[in-house]
Amino acid sequence: MNVIDINSVVDIFFKLRWNSSDAVHNEAYAARGVNMWRDWLPENVHRLLIGKHPWEKISVEFGPGELFGKNQPPVKIDRNRFFKVPQTGRFYPKGLLRGLPGVFPQNIEPFRCISLNNGHMEVDLSHPLANHRLNVDMTVGQLTQKETERGGSSADWLGLLTDGPGMQARWSNTPTDFFSDNPFERTDAKADSIFYGSPRLVHHLDQTAREMVTDIYKRFVKADAKVLDLMSSWVSHLPETVRFERVSGLGLNRAELEQNPQLTDIHVHDLNTNPWLPYDDTSFDLVVCTASVEYLIHPLEVVKAVGRVLKPGGTFVVVFSNRWFPPKVIRIWEQLHEFERIGLVMEYFLRSGAFDDVQTYSMRGLPRPRDDKYAHELQFSDPVYAVWGKRKPC
């Protein structure tokens, strides 16, 4: 019988669900080739998997502190032990702290600065998820038996699933300081119309990641909806099987927009020159923004403008990955951990005051397409991150 046993090698699709004070969070991780004899899984997870068939689903819940130990109390340290002026709520590698017992320079585990006062700083050294209740769903995929066992490395699959999640949430419901020290400066400060003057009819994500973006948008689209594709280009990533009443494209290059077959109308407009949106109030059911939020130098104004053009109950979805044009990306984007970038975008939503039911999503671990030009360099597909929220009632 084809069931999981101690000699199995199995693909498992993990989903992690957790809540912070401001949002609901879902993380997905595609684990391929989980070795049931050699790899590490918590005992209760390992026990639940044994005997399961392909495509069966199981769930397990971890209480606060159960997976990572109890939340440690904040530690007060001398500011001089840190090499730069930190920002409250932000994460930094522990190896940047000097003189703390058990901390070595190569330690890249994150710690959080939670306050600054009179030459001292308070830091939280706990895992970012230590204080949260975690729900883990697992779907069993392809199942084989290992042929030989000659040692080798082992993988901590729950560790991979939880490496990064938690960093997007505020600390103790206090807004994170993403806005000090000129975060929206760019290497190339010239007008974007110059940089984007020539069309770039290229994809910015691999095929698998693009399919994931479309799958995210499928959650929110409805037939005959009015959609705004913000910072659009020659592809909108909207599902082609849905008939929309209107798909408006706002972008910087007319030639790219005219190549987009899903757009019903186009508007060439530079949001970094003028964050106002040239549409009437409550014009759209859905606004999407794909792989572009990292270029906005007036993000709070743009998100507020999106709130204005959305109908009450309409959804704004922002999707991004870890690839960008270096000269035009905002400075803070390059400085942040990938999951802190989710927190930055979430902060845009929260500070705008226009949205509720805010949620975040991440997808990692999918294999890179074999015909992708980077397949010989990169094992995994581009990660996909998303933040969305619903327009509050007027």
Side-chain angles (χ1 to χ4, degrees):
M1 184 178 294
N2 195 23
V3 299
I4 298 177
D5 61 27
I6 193 64
N7 294 310
S8 296
V9 176
V10 58
D11 294 344
I12 303 174
F13 189 77
F14 289 95
K15 287 184 178 180
L16 168 66
R17 292 175 289 114
W18 60 283
N19 296 339
S20 65
S21 58
D22 301 293
V24 175
H25 310 276
N26 285 274
E27 329 291 354
Y29 195 97
R32 304 189 71 199
V34 178
N35 187 316
M36 295 300 294
W37 178 81
R38 190 177 66 210
D39 290 346
W40 188 87
L41 291 165
E43 184 178 349
N44 57 339
V45 173
H46 193 278
R47 185 173 60 252
L48 286 170
L49 286 169
I50 294 296
K52 293 298 185 290
H53 296 81
W55 315 120
E56 278 197 75
K57 297 181 180 180
I58 61 173
S59 299
V60 63
E61 182 178 290
F62 297 94
E66 188 176 349
L67 200 57
F68 306 107
K70 293 183 178 180
N71 201 41
Q72 303 176 41
V75 177
K76 188 175 182 180
I77 63 174
D78 192 304
R79 231 302 273 122
N80 292 329
R81 290 187 175 181
F82 192 58
F83 84 110
K84 60 179 289 186
V85 178
Q87 292 169 235
T88 55
R90 288 276 307 278
F91 285 90
Y92 303 92
K94 289 180 180 177
L96 298 179
L97 293 171
R98 306 183 186 95
L100 285 186
V103 174
F104 50 91
Q106 295 77 23
N107 191 337
I108 61 172
E109 288 182 59
F111 79 91
R112 190 168 214 167
C113 172
I114 57 175
S115 70
L116 297 169
N117 187 29
N118 295 328
H120 291 85
M121 56 188 291
E122 267 195 318
V123 301
D124 183 356
L125 301 175
S126 305
H127 190 284
L129 289 173
N131 203 36
H132 296 280
R133 185 172 300 277
L134 311 175
N135 294 278
V136 180
D137 297 330
M138 291 158 277
T139 301
V140 178
Q142 181 176 315
L143 172 62
T144 59
Q145 295 294 105
K146 62 182 177 67
E147 297 179 358
T148 60
E149 191 63 64
R150 297 177 179 173
S153 61
S154 62
D156 175 3
W157 293 106
L158 265 292
L160 290 170
L161 173 66
T162 57
D163 183 14
M167 298 176 73
Q168 66 264 54
R170 290 173 168 179
W171 189 86
S172 192
N173 203 28
T174 302
T176 302
D177 180 11
F178 290 116
F179 302 96
S180 298
D181 195 25
N182 301 315
F184 304 115
E185 290 182 344
R186 301 179 297 172
T187 302
D188 181 0
K190 296 191 294 292
D192 289 343
S193 57
I194 299 173
F195 185 84
Y196 296 99
S198 299
R200 289 180 170 89
L201 302 179
V202 297
H203 291 295
H204 302 294
L205 302 173
D206 68 73
Q207 178 64 36
T208 299
R210 297 197 301 273
E211 292 173 358
M212 287 303 306
V213 173
T214 301
D215 284 344
I216 291 171
Y217 292 157
K218 282 180 181 177
R219 304 181 186 199
F220 307 103
V221 298
K222 296 179 180 179
D224 299 320
K226 297 177 181 178
V227 181
L228 170 59
D229 184 3
L230 194 68
M231 304 177 78
S232 182
S233 182
W234 67 296
V235 179
S236 286
H237 305 93
L238 295 166
E240 297 179 355
T241 55
V242 179
R243 179 185 175 276
F244 300 101
E245 179 178 332
R246 174 187 182 187
V247 180
S248 300
L250 183 147
L252 278 168
N253 187 280
R254 181 173 295 277
E256 291 181 10
L257 295 172
E258 290 176 344
Q259 287 286 319
N260 190 327
Q262 290 187 297
L263 299 181
T264 58
D265 58 272
I266 64 176
H267 200 106
V268 178
H269 182 77
D270 185 352
L271 292 172
N272 284 340
T273 299
N274 182 2
W276 175 80
L277 293 177
Y279 304 102
D280 293 336
D281 294 0
T282 64
S283 298
F284 298 99
D285 304 290
L286 174 68
V287 178
V288 300
C289 181
T290 310
S292 297
V293 69
E294 60 267 31
Y295 305 114
L296 288 173
I297 63 174
H298 305 295
L300 294 176
E301 292 86 343
V302 171
V303 174
K304 289 179 181 178
V306 170
R308 178 184 63 80
V309 302
L310 265 176
K311 297 177 182 178
T315 304
F316 181 28
V317 190
V318 177
V319 180
F320 51 93
S321 185
N322 58 2
R323 296 167 61 178
W324 56 79
F325 293 128
K328 285 298 183 180
V329 71
I330 57 174
R331 185 164 66 90
I332 191 173
W333 197 265
E334 297 183 292
Q335 299 172 350
L336 294 174
H337 186 282
E338 292 187 15
F339 278 83
E340 274 193 291
R341 293 175 193 144
I342 302 176
L344 173 64
V345 176
M346 191 171 74
E347 201 69 36
Y348 297 161
F349 278 75
L350 297 175
R351 292 195 183 212
S352 75
F355 298 90
D356 54 21
D357 193 20
V358 176
Q359 300 192 40
T360 77
Y361 175 79
S362 67
M363 176 70 242
R364 298 170 292 155
L366 291 171
R368 198 167 197 88
R370 293 183 179 180
D371 59 352
D372 186 82
K373 66 179 181 179
Y374 298 112
H376 66 290
E377 301 176 27
L378 301 171
Q379 178 183 2
F380 298 114
S381 171
D382 298 322
V384 174
Y385 306 107
V387 181
W388 61 81
K390 290 185 177 180
R391 178 67 173 95
K392 290 181 179 179
C394 293

